[in-house]
Amino acid sequence: MGNLDMLSLTAYALQVLLIIMAISIVVHKNNGTIIILITTFSLITASLYVINKAPDVAIAEVAIGSAIIPLIYVISISRQREFIVLDKAMDDFIIADNAFTGVGYVLLKRFTDFYHLELNICNDVRLCSLGAGRDQLLCEQTNVDLIVTKDDERNVYILKGKASSVLTYKLEAMARDYDNIEVVKFKDRDFGD
Amino acid sequence: MNPLLTFVVILIGFYGLSTSSNIIKSVFCVTIIESGVILLFLNLGNLDGGVIPIIGDALPVGGIADPLPQALMITTIVIGSTVTALALMLCIKVFHHYGTVEWAEILSRESGK
Amino acid sequence: MIKQLILIGLLGILFGVFFVSMQDIQELYNTFGKDYIAATGFADTGSRNLVTAILLDYRLFDSLFEAGILLIAVSGVIWISKHESQEKNAQFMLDKFKTPDLFVTFSRLVYPLMLAFGFYVIINGHVSPGGGFQGGAIIATAILILYYIDADKDTNIALIVTIEKILYIAILLVASLSLVSRGELFTNFFVIDASPDTKAIYLVLLNVMIGMKVALGLWTIFTAFLKEGR
């Protein structure tokens, strides 16, 4: 009989621990820490399932909650810190003297540091070879946030972004000081049709 | 007593869902509510004790825990993980469309048009 | 601030209602269902694990269509993450920082063990804790370890989803066979008087198929996420 009391005591202790974990997940501000907390949360629930005479459910919870759930959270959180720029101009706007010192790179770096984002510049050959008429489609179909092109006649760099994004407006405000940079916003169309 | 403590977890999840400012935080809170509901079902199936519902040739003396809620909850866990994945994939798309994942900014942009 | 106080008050009312309803739970609670299943479950279904008996025999209808929801969610993830022009190669964050050698060696050691454990859980689902859903999740985790060993591994998502759809149709067909042999839909296709050992053949067959389906579905989901995470 003493054995049974021990079991129910463990159950109460784990339930109180579960409530504490739930509160800490709700009040925490940093999403990266929450991933660790939610993994711990799911392990505690798995042990409670065993105590509640459900070993089948506990196996499922451990298998799902220990690897797959943290992985998809980590990827989706790291993706939400990124600002993807497609460089179509391919001259010294971004890379000058074989280093990231071009005037455009300095502007974008200042912008992304200010809003705690991570700058990610790609110049995929297949994407850059697409015509200028497909820029809007490219922006909507892929995750590219900004497209850099060059107008040779006026010697002006054009940054194209989505009109729906808050970041495009913020970038426009920041680029007002530069003479040879202008920001163009694509007209908004319905999302997800 | 155990179902009451489990219900507190569900209520904490509801509180976080209504006060969270950020989409990812809301998905976390949905996960908490889901775990709480699973635990509540198992608590209610185990009210008067009993052993694990795997039987030998003779019936166990103290009876068994109710296997029906357990069978329902196994599928819930697998489905819940895929639905979480769907929600997070939508989150990534929302970030690249609106440039933010804060609820307030998204709602102000939607109503501003 | 006042908003949060009102919210806490409302949640407190909910808790009070739940507390009051828990006082009467002894009047509502009865044990007829679990007594019936404990007494006749093994003879009816041939499964010593009564949870598997409910999942694959008594309430097979539920399990089938929850497996269908899994398929729908997987299709949704793929549809959302679909890129019209494939701009990115399937690499992910791990190859920015090289995976440590110790970790790779350990993963190589653990991977076959996890795969074997997953199959063990699936095949013994009718006599011990386990079954298709759990074993499928374990196999999916084992496949995830494979990506840690070789980060540049590329997978054909379209093929995996096609196999998953075919498996789902096959599960529906096996579950419908009982209409011919027993005259009832969605139950064991062996006659009710067959011995438990014979009935176990059906349980193992359906567990293996559901396990494969769940593993392929979860594999598709995290491949889509890894491609997204390039």
Side-chain angles (χ1 to χ4, degrees):
Chain A
M1 216 53 193
N3 208 358
L4 199 73
D5 286 340
M6 200 63 207
L7 194 66
S8 60
L9 207 65
T10 318
Y12 279 118
L14 283 174
Q15 293 236 314
V16 172
L17 198 57
L18 197 68
I19 291 174
I20 294 170
M21 293 306 287
I23 291 174
S24 56
I25 288 170
V26 166
V27 298
H28 242 282
K29 293 278 182 265
N30 182 1
N31 279 341
T33 320
I34 296 182
I35 299 174
I36 309 292
L37 291 177
I38 205 115
T39 314
T40 322
F41 183 87
S42 89
L43 287 179
I44 295 173
T45 48
S47 27
L48 273 169
Y49 298 160
V50 175
I51 291 175
N52 280 295
K53 317 282 162 49
D56 300 77
V57 190
I59 290 178
E61 176 75 31
V62 168
I64 296 276
S66 63
I68 294 173
I69 289 278
L71 176 86
I72 60 179
Y73 273 120
V74 164
I75 287 177
S76 61
I77 285 174
S78 66
R79 289 299 280 181
Q80 289 179 358
R81 292 279 159 75
E82 260 185 333
F83 189 72
I84 305 174
V85 178
L86 180 65
D87 180 19
K88 273 185 156 182
M90 300 234 190
D91 56 3
D92 57 358
F93 185 61
I94 300 283
I95 302 175
D97 305 332
N98 285 326
F100 288 113
T101 51
V103 55
Y105 184 79
V106 173
L107 168 70
L108 290 173
K109 191 71 188 164
R110 200 156 65 86
F111 168 71
T112 50
D113 282 350
F114 190 72
Y115 290 105
H116 304 292
L117 300 166
E118 202 173 296
L119 184 58
N120 186 352
I121 295 174
C122 57
N123 44 7
D124 192 304
V125 179
R126 255 188 315 146
L127 281 187
C128 293
S129 59
L130 292 173
R134 292 192 60 189
D135 278 352
Q136 182 171 6
L137 197 68
L138 188 70
C139 235
E140 281 166 4
Q141 297 281 353
T142 68
N143 285 338
V144 175
D145 288 310
L146 195 72
I147 299 179
V148 178
T149 54
K150 189 181 182 186
D151 191 341
D152 285 328
E153 293 170 8
R154 292 186 293 144
N155 199 17
V156 170
Y157 292 100
I158 302 174
L159 310 180
K160 297 178 180 173
K162 294 168 209 165
S164 58
S165 176
V166 184
L167 294 173
T168 312
Y169 286 87
K170 291 172 177 169
L171 183 64
E172 192 182 23
M174 202 173 259
R176 209 162 279 155
D177 307 335
Y178 295 81
D179 293 334
N180 59 342
I181 295 174
E182 66 181 44
V183 177
V184 174
K185 297 186 286 292
F186 292 124
K187 215 170 86 244
D188 211 7
R189 294 195 295 204
D190 279 341
F191 181 37
D193 54 343
Chain B
M1 201 60 164
N2 273 351
L4 292 178
L5 285 177
T6 311
F7 198 68
V8 173
V9 175
I10 300 176
L11 290 182
I12 291 169
F14 273 118
Y15 177 80
L17 194 58
S18 10
T19 55
S20 60
S21 60
N22 162 330
I23 296 184
I24 292 259
K25 200 70 176 294
S26 304
V27 180
F28 277 123
C29 292
V30 170
T31 312
I32 293 177
I33 295 175
E34 194 191 304
S35 294
V37 168
I38 293 168
L39 198 51
L40 186 63
F41 265 67
L42 297 183
N43 281 154
L44 292 178
N46 189 30
L47 270 185
D48 54 356
V51 298
I52 289 171
I54 296 172
I55 52 170
D57 290 328
L59 271 183
V61 184
I64 56 169
D66 201 348
L68 183 60
Q70 302 187 9
L72 298 180
M73 289 307 113
I74 284 173
T75 45
T76 306
I77 288 176
V78 178
I79 303 299
S81 73
T82 54
V83 171
T84 308
L86 190 62
L88 288 174
M89 196 56 104
L90 274 173
C91 265
I92 296 176
K93 288 288 149 182
V94 164
F95 175 74
H96 285 293
H97 189 255
Y98 289 106
T100 178
V101 284
E102 303 291 317
W103 284 116
E105 289 186 49
I106 292 173
L107 289 177
S108 69
R109 288 211 64 72
E110 276 293 300
S111 58
K113 265 186 296 200
Chain C
M1 192 62 208
I2 191 131
K3 241 179 186 173
Q4 292 188 0
L5 284 179
I6 293 174
L7 183 62
I8 290 175
L10 287 174
L11 293 178
I13 292 173
L14 262 182
F15 183 77
V17 170
F18 187 74
F19 183 79
V20 171
S21 66
M22 279 304 289
Q23 304 304 310
D24 301 337
I25 194 83
Q26 291 301 334
E27 293 171 23
L28 300 172
Y29 186 79
N30 64 56
T31 60
F32 301 136
K34 72 180 187 184
D35 288 344
Y36 174 79
I37 290 171
T40 63
F42 179 56
D44 276 356
T45 65
S47 167
R48 291 197 183 277
N49 183 353
L50 296 176
V51 178
T52 306
I54 291 176
L55 267 181
L56 297 187
D57 205 321
Y58 287 123
R59 297 183 75 104
L60 183 60
F61 196 80
D62 287 7
S63 320
L64 283 182
F65 290 100
E66 292 202 54
I69 293 173
L70 179 68
L71 188 60
I72 292 169
V74 169
S75 316
V77 168
I78 291 173
W79 181 72
I80 293 171
S81 74
K82 193 179 70 174
H83 294 168
E84 194 75 5
S85 49
Q86 293 181 338
E87 87 274 34
K88 287 160 192 163
N89 309 319
Q91 308 164 328
F92 63 109
M93 307 175 305
L94 277 177
D95 51 24
K96 282 185 197 165
F97 328 95
K98 192 176 171 301
T99 320
D101 285 340
L102 178 68
F103 191 56
V104 170
T105 312
F106 192 65
S107 304
R108 285 209 174 107
L109 201 68
V110 162
Y111 162 70
L113 292 178
M114 278 188 77
L115 213 55
F117 178 62
F119 278 109
Y120 169 82
V121 166
I122 289 180
I123 290 171
N124 285 313
H126 59 295
V127 288
S128 67
F133 286 98
Q134 299 95 314
I138 294 173
I139 289 180
T141 314
I143 295 171
L144 181 60
I145 284 184
L146 211 57
Y147 279 86
Y148 285 111
I149 298 172
D150 181 12
D152 296 331
K153 188 175 162 55
D154 59 334
T155 4
N156 187 352
I157 289 193
L159 182 67
I160 300 176
V161 178
T162 312
I163 295 174
E164 195 188 343
K165 283 172 191 161
I166 293 171
L167 261 178
Y168 185 59
I169 295 172
I171 291 171
L172 283 181
L173 285 179
V174 170
S176 312
L177 272 183
S178 60
L179 190 62
V180 183
S181 59
R182 269 200 199 181
E184 302 166 25
L185 201 55
F186 295 149
T187 179
N188 198 328
F189 56 73
F190 288 109
V191 288
I192 193 97
D193 302 328
S195 76
D197 287 342
T198 319
K199 285 176 175 171
I201 296 173
Y202 159 83
L203 294 172
V204 172
L205 175 68
L206 211 58
N207 258 338
V208 168
M209 285 165 83
I210 288 179
M212 288 297 113
K213 188 195 166 302
V214 170
L216 290 175
L218 292 175
W219 185 5
T220 319
I221 281 182
F222 63 67
T223 310
F225 265 90
L226 292 177
K227 280 195 173 172
E228 194 76 18
R230 93 197 197 80

